Amino acid sequence: MPGMVVFGRRWGIASDDLVFPGSFELFVRVLWWIGTMILFTYHKGNFDCNGGGVLHTFLVGLMVVLALIILSLCATVYVSAQGTITNPGPRRSIPALIYLRAILYIPELVWACLGAMWVSEDSKGCDPATVGAVISAVIASWIILLFTGLGVVFVFDPLGNPRPQHSAMEPLGVRDQQSTEGTQFLSTARSLAVKVWESRLRLLCCCLPQDESHRAAFSSIAQLVGGFFSDTDLVPSDIAAGLALLHQEQDKMEQSRDPDIMVDHSPSSPIGEDLETELEKAAHCMQFAAAAYGWPMYIYSNPLTGPCKLSGDCCRSREAEYDIVGGDHLGCHFSSILQSTGLQYRDFIYVSFHNQIYEIPFYVALDHKREAVLVAVRGTLSLKDVLTDLSAECENLPIEGVLGSCYAHKGMCQAAGYIYKKLVNDGILNQAFSIAPEYKLVITGHSLGAGTASLLAILLRNSFPTLQCYSFSPPGGLLSKALADYSKDFVVSVVLGKDLVPRLSLPNMEDLKRKILKVVSNCNKPKYRILLQGCWYEVFGGDPDDFPTEMDNRREEELSQPLLGEESLMIRHSSSYQSLASDESPAHTATHLPLFLPGRILRITEDGPSRRSCFSQVRYRADWSNEMSFRSVLISPRMLADHMPDAMLRALTSLTRDRPFSLCPSSSNNTNHNTV
């Protein structure tokens, strides 16, 4: 539902968002009124202490004010619960109720001041319990007023000038024909949105230096984010409701369709042997990728023993003795890497914890177990890394010998270029191979580090034809199709479960936005019920069929026409919008250049039911997959947990160490589909 318009502007909250905050305040106010009534009854006819008349007036007035507030809250909660997200008609009286509630803040403020005056001047000689009750009432009033002010700030929309509405009877084709004035308005609105997002980023990153590179990054990210949200008029709760409904829809489809057909094996490798070998190599490399996060990840993975093991090494700098570490002033990062990898000091060629936008930490070490010069790139761990992640525009990356368009994620392309210059121009790789000339080059990383490692491998491929790259949970919006195909000979991407990041790309986000608009428009339930049932489903599970998402009695022929409700959520007609009859594939809706995961894709999933006991042992299976399996975002409670490096390491360890390999055909289909 478009944001509510009150006090002459649009707010970041809809008219059906007042059910939960109104119910909570109603509960508090009712308890408050009951307590005041008990206090008044206790003192009835016995207000003979100093200032008793003022106390009597205060209690009577407070009960009246609370009663009026309770009545207004009851009406607000009831009206806000009516209708559906795209049918605000039954809630048309909400602005009037909000004005009434705002007026009631005035007598509440006056009575709070009256109670404070009585406590400070006329409460001597009165029952201490009565004085304490009045003080509590005064404090409660101020707390509620404070939280109301914070709520107003929170839902304030800097772009909240009321937008002109299209006539409901205006044909869609006419509505799409924008006049010169309308085009100018939309252009101005988009420019304002970019400025607002840029200001938000600067405020969020106020601790970062405001140099030219950061300002350019802020501007680039603001244009991306502002443009993405400029064609919809959804409030955050609409998006939450849409995600809840979409999760149930996806679960329903997953239960009713045949399992996805995976790529059975690498085209250049034997069936089964390739999968087992790659899993063993991946499990080994993941230890180095996780170690690149330094002491935060080590403490997170070892909360009991980690601090004790690092305490003896931290604050004892070895930079004078080992001139290989940069940016680790206390030595805690390097010590945690030593603990995690089991390597010795002499095995490290270069370690850098220098961190700026487009410049991320990495280290180079000699892996004698696998006879490799290993380059491990750190994932996202700082605000500067987040800015690198969000710089998601495409940047040209021409590679000799690759036919077709070559472009990649800008932020990670810049980060890979930074590490490439360090490795090549500063002679770090030459130094490593002078020590171990027979070793091969292996590059690895997780998340941001995975995307950067893949691009770095592409840059180094011509100089090191035998190099290999293991990319764990890489971002989905990374490489053009030509570069993704080129990287399949030397890059292996490993994805766990329903991890969000490998499915995160601009086309996929446009597709997700379109699906949210569609599922929200087709829902016949009020938003508060969607959110309550969605929370229950996420926590306790259940049959998704219990939560219908299509309007009752909708005729089949109506499904071929654009939805009026869906159109009401659009500020302007967008290419991200499609009717219900359109293809679900993001390829039909993408407004950005398509980007893909790097290399061959190894997907790890939990073997067994999707919901299990917290104490049950998890078993995993691994399959070769392809990029088309990651062309849409999957909503799941584990979409973020599956991205954590410790979860990836645990899954790989379970596959390679906790149980022997079992290579067998999948029971779900008749293809030569092999799992581990």
Side-chain angles (χ1 to χ4, degrees), residues 252-295:
K252 191 188 306 182
M253 293 174 61
E254 187 175 354
Q255 293 175 9
S256 63
R257 70 186 178 191
D258 294 332
D260 293 335
I261 299 177
M262 302 293 176
V263 177
D264 57 340
H265 63 283
S266 173
S268 59
S269 304
I271 297 176
E273 295 180 4
D274 174 65
L275 184 60
E276 179 178 351
T277 301
E278 295 296 357
L279 274 172
E280 290 178 342
K281 293 179 180 179
H284 180 73
C285 288
M286 184 59 207
Q287 298 178 24
F288 295 91
Y293 283 95
W295 68 263

Side-chain angles (χ1 to χ4, degrees), residues 337-401:
I337 291 178
L338 293 172
Q339 294 284 351
S340 300
T341 61
L343 299 181
Q344 303 297 319
Y345 296 109
R346 61 177 179 272
D347 297 327
F348 287 86
I349 306 300
Y350 184 82
V351 182
S352 171
F353 293 99
H354 169 77
N355 191 201
Q356 291 292 336
I357 185 172
Y358 306 143
E359 300 175 4
I360 57 180
F362 69 99
Y363 66 87
V364 181
L366 298 178
D367 179 13
H368 301 295
K369 182 178 180 179
R370 296 284 179 173
E371 296 186 343
V373 173
L374 191 137
V375 180
V377 187
R378 195 190 76 181
T380 303
L381 197 62
S382 70
L383 188 57
K384 300 167 186 175
D385 297 333
V386 173
L387 294 178
T388 302
D389 284 318
L390 293 177
S391 297
E393 295 178 344
C394 293
E395 181 168 298
N396 289 328
L397 185 66
I399 300 296
E400 183 180 354

Side-chain angles (χ1 to χ4, degrees), residues 194-246:
V194 170
K195 291 180 181 178
V196 167
W197 279 103
E198 191 169 350
S199 299
R200 288 172 175 171
L201 288 171
R202 287 178 177 173
L203 180 62
L204 179 65
C205 307
C206 59
C207 57
L208 299 182
Q210 302 295 314
D211 54 20
E212 187 63 31
S213 62
H214 285 85
R215 285 194 294 270
F218 293 157
S219 177
S220 175
I221 296 171
Q223 290 179 8
L224 178 68
V225 177
F228 182 78
F229 290 106
S230 64
D231 60 349
T232 60
D233 200 8
L234 296 171
V235 297
S237 60
D238 295 334
I239 299 175
L243 291 175
L245 291 171
L246 189 58

Side-chain angles (χ1 to χ4, degrees), residues 282-353:
H284 180 73
C285 288
M286 184 59 207
Q287 298 178 24
F288 295 91
Y293 283 95
W295 68 263
M297 181 54 62
Y298 185 76
I299 297 296
Y300 176 78
S301 302
N302 305 276
L304 299 178
T305 61
C308 297
K309 291 182 178 180
L310 293 183
S311 59
D313 293 329
C314 291
C315 303
R316 188 175 63 189
S317 176
R318 293 187 173 87
E319 290 190 36
E321 183 178 359
Y322 301 96
D323 191 19
I324 60 173
V325 182
D328 186 21
H329 302 295
L330 298 179
C332 295
H333 285 306
F334 190 33
S335 298
S336 69
I337 291 178
L338 293 172
Q339 294 284 351
S340 300
T341 61
L343 299 181
Q344 303 297 319
Y345 296 109
R346 61 177 179 272
D347 297 327
F348 287 86
I349 306 300
Y350 184 82
V351 182
S352 171
F353 293 99

Side-chain angles (χ1 to χ4, degrees), residues 487-505:
S487 65
K488 289 183 178 180
D489 291 335
F490 54 93
V491 177
V492 174
S493 292
V494 186
V495 179
L496 175 62
K498 296 185 178 181
D499 186 354
L500 170 66
V501 174
R503 297 172 172 86
L504 204 58
S505 66

